[in-house]
Amino acid sequence: MNNRPRVGEFCSQSRRHSERTRVGHVQEEELQEERVMGEYAFPAQVAEELLAEWNSSASSPCSSLPDKATLLQLLETCYHASLRTTELRTTQCVLAYVSAEKFDSMSLLRFEQPALLTASELVRLAPVTELHRTLIGCHRISGHLKVWGLCASTSAAQEIRGRISSTFSRRDELPADCLTISIEAPGALTVVRGGRELARLRDGKIIAANEHPFRRAEEPLGRFFLKIVDCILEATSTPAPAETLKLGPNGLLEVCFLTIAGILERIRVERHGGSIVLALSSLQGELAYRTYRVLEHTALSGQILAHCQSWESFRTVADLQMTDPSELDKFRAEAEIRLTSERLVRGVDRLSLLAAIDGAVLLDGSLRLEAFGVRFPLLLTPGTSIVDARTGLSYPCDEWGLRHQSIFSVCNHSDDSMGFVVSQDGSVKAVKSVDGCLTFWDGILD
């Protein structure tokens, strides 16, 4: 007896099998999409993170975040604005959620008719602002979130900080209850409330606010920068400085890593990638081949010291204001801060441009330029691994390209060196040997 299916039955079975297969593929794709979506964060998750972070901390009982609906609307508007461009320019600006009346002493440009807060409005206003120096003010007016105007940030320190990632920005002069959301790149937001950074959104992930590893003096990066401070004081023959000049706000330690961060940020903005090596002791010829050796070292140490001393003078004048008010002295002190910061920014720009040449930019312990286009010919030993400082996980060095492996190599052979690698995709790593273990810190500008 012939049990083979007829042609019609075979086609029907084939169609049912194909349908089951197609449904299976669709379900698998949906599950895969759910798994992928679960890896990314969007404004709703950022709002939850912000509220949890704020409520878990010892915040002042009289201060609070905006209500959840307002917070979510602010984040969603900024997020969607960040994904849009105008005349091929990405959207970059800072939105400040605060009442205009809180800016009595600030430079204001108020609109006669407030505009409804939308992503399109932020995209339209962004070109007339300067990131971290001009803020777009908004608040709830007549039941709606509206843009009431622009406000200028008057701190002279912004002359240098404005060129540096918001990771290092300070807004001490803003009203205590001001919430700012910085739009820095597509999908990249930073939220600050009352001068305190709460969270960032980068590459679809929430980065909780933590003290930067540069600032922790007990950590390897912080200890390295403390040595740079000592080298600068020695190179400039500066007598034992006051503690505030060395470690205080706008002191040598902070301005040193702000300067390095500024160079790295400029390289990242240019999108050509590059690398920088800081060497406390001179690297021998077999470790570093200097393509373009500088005859007279160009130093940032004098500019850094002058900038810190101008801040020290400003603090002195500010203290005297309480007993002998003198607006002229205060004006002169502020002008000196502005002048020294402009000189430092020019030095940052000049050094960052050198990274476009193949090879690394080599600086000594006093942040003096030794050479650029530097190659490090010694190869890594096969099987060398590098440890992620944040997770403790170990990776084989050959997972990275030649630029990374070059920096890995010099740091592996020189304990007194620290390297920085800026990839063309914008990621920035710090590399150093710690107790004989090659270690990296990823996303140091994020």
Side-chain angles (χ1 to χ4, degrees):
M1 184 176 180
N2 187 359
N3 292 323
R4 288 181 298 177
R6 298 185 180 92
V7 173
E9 292 176 353
F10 180 82
C11 293
S12 177
Q13 291 174 8
S14 178
R15 283 194 297 270
R16 286 196 297 270
H17 176 74
S18 298
E19 181 66 20
R20 285 195 298 270
T21 303
R22 188 188 67 80
V23 171
H25 285 320
V26 170
Q27 291 175 341
E28 184 178 348
E29 289 174 358
E30 289 176 348
L31 289 173
Q32 180 71 12
E33 183 177 355
E34 289 178 5
R35 284 194 293 269
V36 172
M37 291 290 287
E39 296 176 359
Y40 296 101
F42 295 95
Q45 288 94 326
V46 178
E48 295 287 351
E49 181 75 20
L50 289 173
L51 291 168
E53 168 69 19
W54 188 259
N55 294 331
S56 65
S57 64
S59 303
S60 171
C62 62
S63 64
S64 61
L65 290 176
D67 62 83
K68 187 174 180 179
T70 299
L71 188 61
L72 184 57
Q73 186 177 349
L74 291 169
L75 290 168
E76 286 182 337
T77 303
C78 290
Y79 180 78
H80 289 292
S82 76
L83 303 178
R84 296 175 58 178
T85 61
T86 175
E87 296 180 353
L88 301 180
R89 292 194 302 265
T90 58
T91 302
Q92 289 187 310
C93 59
V94 179
L95 180 69
Y97 178 75
V98 65
S99 171
E101 285 69 27
K102 298 291 182 69
F103 285 87
D104 294 336
S105 61
M106 307 290 281
S107 175
L108 292 182
L109 183 65
R110 295 190 65 170
F111 301 159
E112 181 179 359
Q113 188 69 34
L116 197 65
L117 177 66
T118 62
S120 297
E121 198 66 44
L122 290 182
V123 173
R124 186 179 298 115
L125 288 171
V128 302
T129 69
E130 193 170 359
L131 190 61
H132 306 306
R133 296 180 66 184
T134 302
L135 313 179
I136 299 174
C138 80
H139 207 252
R140 194 166 287 282
I141 301 173
S142 302
H144 299 282
L145 283 177
K146 293 187 178 182
V147 176
W148 50 256
L150 307 176
C151 49
S153 179
T154 59
S155 172
Q158 297 296 331
E159 287 296 320
I160 179 171
R161 297 182 194 279
R163 305 295 295 273
I164 295 173
S165 155
S166 66
T167 307
F168 309 102
S169 295
R170 303 166 78 95
R171 302 182 180 87
D172 298 336
E173 78 281 1
L174 294 180
D177 60 347
C178 180
L179 177 85
T180 62
I181 304 176
S182 302
I183 304 174
E184 291 151 11
L189 308 179
T190 298
V191 185
V192 176
R193 166 67 163 77
R196 170 183 156 209
E197 183 180 309
L198 298 179
R200 298 178 204 164
L201 183 64
R202 295 290 188 280
D203 297 325
K205 296 180 177 63
I206 298 173
I207 302 175
N210 289 306
E211 188 180 9
H212 197 275
F214 282 179
R215 285 190 166 100
R216 294 198 289 267
E218 71 281 3
E219 296 293 330
L221 299 189
R223 291 199 302 268
F224 188 88
F225 272 89
L226 280 173
K227 292 179 181 178
I228 288 179
V229 168
D230 292 336
C231 289
I232 288 176
L233 292 173
E234 183 179 349
T236 53
S237 301
T238 305
E243 192 70 10
T244 52
L245 178 62
K246 187 174 180 180
L247 301 176
N250 300 295
L252 283 167
L253 180 61
E254 174 150 335
V255 175
C256 278
F257 68 68
L258 280 171
T259 299
I260 296 301
I263 296 172
L264 297 172
E265 179 67 14
R266 174 66 184 271
I267 296 171
R268 180 163 71 171
V269 168
E270 294 298 327
R271 296 186 179 277
H272 51 58
S275 53
I276 296 174
V277 172
L278 309 182
L280 296 178
S281 55
S282 180
L283 298 177
Q284 300 303 315
E286 65 271 12
L287 273 179
Y289 175 75
R290 296 160 172 82
T291 306
Y292 299 100
R293 188 189 294 267
V294 178
L295 183 61
E296 294 183 1
H297 292 176
T298 300
L300 289 173
S301 53
Q303 297 163 358
I304 290 172
L305 182 60
H307 184 63
C308 295
Q309 288 173 333
S310 65
W311 268 106
E312 192 73 9
S313 299
F314 177 79
R315 280 190 288 267
T316 302
V317 170
D319 291 340
L320 291 174
Q321 293 289 307
M322 301 180 66
T323 57
D324 183 21
S326 172
E327 288 299 321
L328 180 59
D329 288 342
K330 185 178 179 181
F331 174 79
R332 285 172 176 166
E334 289 178 344
E336 184 64 21
I337 291 175
R338 190 176 299 275
L339 178 62
T340 56
S341 63
E342 286 174 352
R343 289 173 178 167
L344 186 52
V345 166
R346 285 198 295 270
V348 165
D349 288 345
R350 186 167 56 249
L351 284 179
S352 63
L353 291 174
L354 302 178
I357 299 291
D358 286 340
V361 176
L362 179 60
L363 307 177
D364 69 6
S366 300
L367 302 186
R368 294 180 300 185
L369 174 66
E370 284 196 9
F372 60 99
V374 180
R375 290 176 287 165
F376 306 105
L378 286 184
L379 300 177
L380 288 167
T381 305
T384 302
S385 61
I386 187 167
V387 176
D388 186 332
R390 290 189 171 123
T391 65
L393 297 176
S394 181
Y395 302 91
C397 286
D398 56 11
E399 286 191 4
W400 284 273
L402 292 178
R403 175 180 288 151
H404 282 77
Q405 291 195 46
S406 179
I407 299 301
F408 294 166
S409 174
V410 69
C411 292
N412 194 47
H413 288 94
S414 174
D415 292 341
D416 283 340
S417 298
M418 178 188 292
F420 299 92
V421 187
V422 184
S423 301
Q424 288 181 317
D425 64 5
S427 65
V428 185
K429 293 181 182 66
V431 182
K432 193 180 185 311
S433 178
V434 181
D435 299 327
C437 179
L438 193 58
T439 308
F440 75 93
W441 290 259
D442 206 358
I444 60 170
L445 293 187
D446 295 330

